[in-house]
């Protein structure tokens, strides 16, 4: 069994209104030392399989076919063996 | 300067419809070895400050006052020094 | 063909951190007349079918089986005939 | 008092991975008559003010300054008087 973690983020240069909103709200509450906020979606999956490489390839395919929009998103994949 | 990462997740036992939806969609596409999917919100913040402990306390306060709903959410905080 | 619109909202009394964050951020930007903010997810679906009643029953089932968490969410369904 | 509703959607032609995921998941559950799914964020705000026109202008400004990314999002604004 493997645990795959995918982090989906807006590409550099694509404005993130949610991050900006959190930044302004924290400033309003007096947290003036907050300089930048970015938000991401994180997806954890439990996957059955035989090797880390095979799982990694599959998760890469999931991102392309379903989870991300390649025009505006970048993604990071981490795979970890669990028992 | 510090980078604070906050991961906000639904508490154990609170059903996550988004994770369930992704799981079913992956099954539909033929990824039948996907057994469980959970989704989280991840927030990265650049914060000015003098010590890791001080920043950690502040971010804890941000979660309580703004970012999370303590009835349904758990959160994790990681602080890292950046130059 | 029908267009079904589903609005998924947190139940009354379940705190909405996203709405609160937007409210504080708007206050920070000088919009002090904003008194309350709530956020919802809206889902539009194009569905083939023979009658509004049948589609409505199906969409109700989709909400229960997939789209909403009945413990924390309420939902509204609107069905409209399109040609 | 006014209630302003803002609907934020991806621009036509910007792929919506969340809508696609819901579509595939519904297909997997046997709802094969679902042909297209789009998701939006909906924001309801209670705002104090003197006229519908003034509120509309303000909400337009909120969208530009905070709530939407004009490169990838379109938005719709509805204003309604409440007592």
């Amino acid at each position: 069994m493997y645990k795959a973690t995918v982090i989906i983020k807006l590409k550099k240069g694509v404005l993130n209104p949610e991050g900006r909103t959190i930044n302004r709200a924290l400033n309003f509450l007096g947290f003036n030392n907050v300089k930048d906020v970015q938000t991401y979606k994180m997806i954890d999956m439990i996957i059955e399989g035989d090797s880390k490489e095979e799982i990694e390839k599959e998760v890469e395919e999931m991102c392309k076919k379903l989870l991300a929009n390649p025009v505006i998103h970048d993604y990071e994949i981490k795979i970890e063996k669990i028992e």
Side-chain angles (χ1 to χ4, degrees), chain A:
Chain A
M1 293 278 252
Y2 290 85
K3 182 172 132 180
T5 300
V6 179
I7 295 174
I8 295 175
K9 43 181 79 179
L10 287 168
K11 274 183 193 298
K12 264 219 151 122
V14 180
L15 179 79
N16 176 344
E18 192 185 30
R20 180 174 59 176
T21 300
I22 292 173
N23 200 341
R24 297 295 179 274
L26 289 170
N27 295 158
F28 179 76
L29 293 176
F31 298 104
N32 297 307
N33 52 343
V34 176
K35 297 305 169 197
D36 185 63
V37 179
Q38 298 293 330
T39 61
Y40 314 110
K41 182 182 295 282
M42 193 174 142
I43 305 170
D44 269 0
M45 297 182 273
I46 304 300
I47 309 181
E48 278 179 350
D50 291 332
S51 78
K52 213 171 148 162
E53 290 67 34
E54 177 204 306
I55 300 287
E56 196 155 6
K57 230 186 275 179
E58 273 203 317
V59 175
E60 181 84 32
E61 220 185 308
M62 294 174 195
C63 288
K64 284 190 189 140
K65 285 197 182 162
L66 192 75
L67 302 172
N69 174 345
V71 177
I72 56 174
H73 293 138
D74 279 333
Y75 50 83
E76 276 172 41
I77 298 171
K78 277 176 249 173
I79 314 284
E80 187 190 344
K81 198 167 172 28
I82 56 177
E83 85 284 15

